[in-house]
Amino acid sequence: MKYLKVIAFTHKQIELKELGKLVLCQENITEKLHAAKGHFGIDEIFYLSTCNRVEFVLSTQHKVDREFAEAFLTEMQMGLCTHSTQTFLDAASIYEGQEALNHLLRTSCSLESLIVGEKEILAQLRKAYDDCREAGLTADKLRLVMECVVKGAKEVYTHTNISKNPISVVSLAYRKLKDLKLCSNARVLIIGAGETNRNISKYLQKHKFSNFSVFNRTLSKAQQLADDLGGEAFELHELKNFKGGFDAIITCTSAVEPILTTEIYSSLLNGDTGKKTIVDLAIPNDTAPEVLEQFDVNFIEVHSLNEIAKKNLQERYQELVHAEAIIEQNIAEFLVMLKQRKIELAMRQVPEKIKEIRNNAVNTVFADEVQSLDKESREILEKVINYMEKKYISVPMIMAKDILINN
């Protein structure tokens, strides 16, 4: 385990906007990693970059400390000034051996993420490793580490509730909307083309909703979202004149005054008396209180969703104990596997040596005696020798593993 080292820069010590300075350009990332690998004599390396972390995972016998990390960052040519480099080094976390494995397992299970329970980190970690493996930057040692990390993460996500209950307002809003059982051709008005509405639109599109009208102050942004959804785009001021009808409104703007007034809402209904749905994710709300008082509406808004999110987040944190127990078990199993692996590597010449002894015995030492045997006797001798050969190969291997593991 001593070979495993991790240099980590994460959201816990560094502001997210600052972390971006450590992200390597995709165009020459492989070239830089190969250069650093050769310069420092690193056996294996891979690089992980997400929205809240930049990490370098190494397999090396060299001591990895602050001095090494400084030289490493310099070699990676990140374009940092001396002051920035020192700031990042002061905030770096360096892990070694079992502590490094524990860190990678906790990271893959999202225990080290901004949002506990987000599964995306496992996919990001696997892709980072796979990219470096395909580039020839990793080999057997990090392969074994990653097998352990992936296995442990899958067990945590399968056997705990750490990711079961959503905690993002967007996913909660969509679940509420889904519970209302709108048909896939429901007419959906989207007011605002910012990130929140773009994200909830992805959920709707994924579940085959297809009838969209997008309104935004800037028409180009409305058009971009409408193009993604296969819908129509309008400037926000056209909302009061829209006569296309609707079944649901999703709104999230930065307006300080309500967008959906009673006058505009009544105009949008255009005589329709059916119960409609409003998903209002704006703060303050885009929907005037009078709309809810005067019209029959299914209303989904941020405040109630935040309460659910807080409850779900608390439930996720309660699952940490179970997740950490699974991680401990996987580390223990990995240590046993490493011992077995050492035995396999140390004894991989045993089969070849035994075969040499067998061939020497049959073809040289006892060649005359074997040749004097009749066909049936030679066949019996061959069976006996084959049986003995297998036992002489397997028994020492099993005994050696048992001795090493039990001691």
Side-chain angles (χ1 to χ4, degrees), residues 39-85:
H39 180 80
F40 293 102
I42 297 170
D43 298 324
E44 304 177 40
I45 184 172
F46 78 87
Y47 158 81
L48 170 67
S49 171
T50 74
C51 60
N52 54 40
R53 67 183 60 252
V54 170
E55 304 196 10
F56 298 92
V57 182
L58 317 174
S59 170
T60 179
Q61 297 298 318
H62 295 297
K63 181 180 180 181
V64 175
D65 53 15
R66 302 283 171 180
E67 184 179 347
F68 178 93
E70 181 175 7
F72 184 84
L73 288 184
T74 301
E75 177 65 22
M76 293 302 296
Q77 300 176 16
M78 292 181 165
L80 301 173
C81 66
T82 303
H83 175 72
S84 292
T85 299

Side-chain angles (χ1 to χ4, degrees), residues 317-330:
Y317 275 105
Q318 290 171 357
E319 292 296 303
L320 290 180
V321 174
H322 305 301
E324 287 170 349
I326 292 173
I327 287 173
E328 288 181 10
Q329 178 62 32
N330 274 272

Side-chain angles (χ1 to χ4, degrees), residues 116-167:
V116 172
E118 53 108 358
K119 288 185 175 181
E120 289 81 4
I121 183 60
L122 177 58
Q124 292 168 329
L125 185 59
R126 292 181 72 170
K127 185 178 186 308
Y129 167 75
D130 287 341
D131 287 347
C132 288
R133 176 181 55 79
E134 291 172 6
L137 291 161
T138 69
D140 195 53
K141 289 179 180 177
L142 290 185
R143 176 185 65 80
L144 295 175
V145 168
M146 280 303 298
E147 286 178 358
C148 172
V149 166
V150 172
K151 173 178 172 291
K154 286 182 176 179
E155 289 178 5
V156 168
Y157 290 129
T158 301
H159 300 299
T160 75
N161 291 320
I162 201 163
S163 64
K164 297 292 170 61
N165 298 317
I167 58 175

Side-chain angles (χ1 to χ4, degrees), residues 118 120 163 165-178 184 188 190 195-210 212 225 228-229 250 279 281 316:
E118 53 108 358
E120 289 81 4
S163 64
N165 298 317
I167 58 175
S168 79
V169 167
V170 168
S171 60
L172 286 168
Y174 176 72
R175 287 199 175 197
K176 286 274 190 179
L177 191 60
K178 186 180 177 183
S184 59
V188 181
I190 298 177
E195 183 178 0
T196 299
N197 277 357
R198 288 200 303 272
N199 287 337
I200 198 168
S201 297
K202 291 176 183 177
Y203 280 97
L204 293 167
Q205 192 176 36
K206 180 180 178 181
H207 290 87
K208 308 305 180 184
F209 284 83
S210 57
F212 297 97
L225 179 56
D228 291 340
L229 297 171
I250 297 172
V279 179
L281 302 181
R316 286 190 177 190

